[in-house]
Amino acid sequence: MITLVRRVTAACLLGTALTACAATVHPAPRVDRPAPSATGAPPTLAPGPGGLTPVFRNGSRAHGRTVALTFDADMTADQGTRAAAGEHFDNPGLIAALRALKVPATVFMTGRWAEEYPDQARSLGRDPLFEVANHSYSHYAFTGDCYGLPRVSADRMLADVERAYTAFRKAGVPDARPYFRFPGGCYDRRALRELTPAGVTAVQWDVVSGDAFATDAAAVARQVLEGVRPGSVVVMHCTRSAAPTTERVVREVVPELRARGFRFVKVSELIGS
């Protein structure tokens, strides 16, 4: 489906998922490892004013040069016929690239995507390099006027989020994170109030990659590199049909950011810091 970005200049619409040995001694490849956690529970933010669902956009600018790459694995509740006809809402090449580059990442997955690609969902959920977070079940909008997305009614918002977690468990994802990304990035006070019982932290971003439907990987990479600051959250997509350049973007951006001294982390580490 289409992941749309609210209040950003590059609104994204998305219909859809993501060595060497020698006789001589060489330096080990760099691996960005998460910081140890004091407890096994993933960190969350305290509720906002009035007990509303808290919203996280970026981490500290002062606690080191960290950056979180996030990927929305979008598929709406009504796109099964398109998948059956051969449209690819996944992107195995992108996931393979992240693994080869040893980049931790957070994947915001819709429940419908997990149902369509249960093996991939399970693989992501059981790989310590990644964490799976909630992007709703249906990828319907939680507000009106959200780039043409169908809208979920207020009395169904909580159930839609919970249904996604159920889909993750059925697919074999053992520990989906208590983080939620609104479809299209669209939310209002009522949506935050309706999701309060879920106990999630809503995760937005401060860097828009512009990878949706992009054909110029270099331009997307340039936009990411120009936007990243310490503590940034970058929004990208894990869907071949709607974001065909993302794998190439990652392969260009990761070495450059590492050369600038950045360390890649999951969203949980940014929230925890």
Side-chain angles (χ1 to χ4, degrees), residues 31-241:
V31 181
D32 291 304
R33 301 186 185 281
S37 174
T39 69
T44 55
L45 297 183
L52 296 180
T53 297
V55 180
F56 178 80
R57 291 180 176 82
N58 58 267
S60 170
R61 305 298 190 191
H63 291 171
R65 298 173 73 82
T66 55
V67 58
L69 299 186
T70 69
F71 299 88
D72 292 357
D74 295 339
M75 187 174 180
T76 59
D78 56 359
Q79 288 183 323
T81 55
R82 288 169 57 177
E87 184 170 347
H88 293 287
F89 295 88
D90 61 342
N91 194 338
L94 168 62
I95 300 305
L98 291 168
R99 284 174 167 146
L101 292 165
K102 296 179 171 34
V103 178
T106 303
V107 179
F108 287 89
M109 187 182 297
T110 68
R112 184 64 187 87
W113 194 99
E115 289 178 346
E116 189 69 26
Y117 304 106
D119 292 343
Q120 293 185 55
R122 181 167 55 253
S123 177
L124 288 167
R126 295 183 179 183
D127 187 337
L129 196 63
F130 302 104
E131 61 186 4
V132 171
N134 196 314
H135 196 31
S136 82
Y137 175 83
S138 64
H139 202 265
Y140 286 176
F142 281 57
T143 67
D145 189 26
C146 186
Y147 305 99
L149 282 175
R151 184 177 183 179
V152 61
S153 61
D155 64 341
R156 297 298 302 165
M157 290 177 181
L158 179 62
D160 194 74
V161 172
E162 291 176 338
R163 187 179 179 186
Y165 281 121
T166 297
F168 300 156
R169 288 191 293 270
K170 287 182 177 178
V173 176
D175 188 26
R177 306 284 88 176
Y179 309 139
F180 176 72
R181 175 163 286 167
F182 284 98
C186 305
Y187 70 93
D188 55 18
R189 186 177 180 85
R190 183 174 188 179
L192 294 176
R193 183 171 61 250
E194 293 297 331
L195 295 190
T196 297
V200 296
T201 293
V203 176
Q204 296 289 94
W205 53 82
D206 67 324
V207 179
V208 179
S209 68
D211 64 339
F213 298 111
T215 58
D216 187 344
V220 176
R222 185 164 55 251
Q223 182 159 311
V224 172
L225 293 171
E226 290 175 353
V228 166
R229 300 169 60 196
S232 279
V233 176
V234 183
V235 59
M236 305 178 81
H237 298 93
C238 187
T239 310
R240 273 181 286 176
S241 62

Side-chain angles (χ1 to χ4, degrees), residues 43-45 56 179 267-273:
T44 55
L45 297 183
F56 178 80
Y179 309 139
V267 164
S268 56
E269 183 168 339
L270 286 186
I271 292 177
S273 65

